[in-house]
Amino acid sequence: SQKIEQNSEALNIQEGKTATLTCNYTNYSPAYLQWYRQDPGRGPVFLLLIRENEKEKRKERLKVTFDTTLKQSLFHITASQPADSATYLCALEGTDSSYKLIFGSGTRLLVRP
Amino acid sequence: GAVVSQHPSRVICKSGTSVKIECRSLDFQATTMFWYRQFPKKSLMLMATSNEGSKATYEQGVEKDKFLINHASLTLSTLTVTSAHPEDSSFYICSALQAGTYSNQPQHFGDGTRLSIL
């Protein structure tokens, strides 16, 4: 069955450094992948979407890559700030293409001042 | 734009009570809404897909008689947890898709409802 893996351990980095989060998937070839940010007690907020024919997508300090051969997406935050501290979720389209999303368990990022 | 309001944000009630949660799209029409459940430090688990004017589609293992979904208008979907028990305690989150969007568009989420059954 479709499986999405994100590093369950929290990522702890110094302010100003680049944070890199990983999303791996198996048993599926999604046409697109999305990244969301979730703060404690809140709903996820959409950040970026990348399609299978796109290698890289950027938005301000955010960058996402999508390697369909490795079945992996990397999410980068450059010049990280304490306000970037949150849980980041990757999501893939559902296998039945009914607009569903399948979410990874998320990686918690902590940016130290 | 694309704001989704979920109400109430927190509910504490006794076992056996039925609880209704509302999900509203404030500035757009949503033909499709989704209901998720999230346990602490876990991923969002899709419970059901709510389609305006038709019956909801439930994921495997989700009891449709336990979790009643109604999507009577293009801006409102409700989830009713019937005869709630402590094991139903969780964080419930809804999301909405703008009408006319394609499958690769983002979902717009509400801020969730923390349900605690005593």
Side-chain angles (χ1 to χ4, degrees), chain B residues 51-88:
Chain B
N51 297 295
E52 186 269 336
S54 64
K55 291 183 179 180
T57 303
Y58 290 81
E59 295 300 301
Q60 191 173 9
V62 178
E63 297 177 60
K64 62 180 181 181
D65 294 329
K66 173 75 172 176
F67 299 100
L68 300 178
I69 292 172
N70 183 277
H71 194 158
S73 78
L74 286 172
T75 59
L76 174 64
S77 176
T78 60
L79 168 69
T80 300
V81 183
T82 61
S83 186
H85 292 286
E87 58 266 28
D88 299 322

Side-chain angles (χ1 to χ4, degrees), chain B residues 93-114:
Chain B
I93 310 177
C94 71
S95 70
L97 282 176
Q98 285 189 279
T101 58
Y102 296 100
S103 63
N104 61 1
Q105 297 302 305
Q107 294 182 16
H108 306 288
F109 285 83
D111 269 339
T113 297
R114 174 73 58 193

Side-chain angles (χ1 to χ4, degrees), chain A residues 54-70:
Chain A
E54 298 174 314
K55 296 293 183 185
E56 182 179 296
K57 202 78 169 281
R58 291 176 184 262
K59 179 183 176 182
E60 298 174 351
R61 295 184 294 110
L62 308 181
K63 185 179 82 171
V64 171
T65 63
F66 194 6
D67 190 324
T68 55
T69 301
L70 291 178

Side-chain angles (χ1 to χ4, degrees), chain A residues 11 16 23 58 64 69 83 85 95 98-99:
Chain A
L11 180 61
C23 177
R58 291 176 184 262
V64 171
T69 301
S85 299
T95 55
S98 60
Y99 304 164

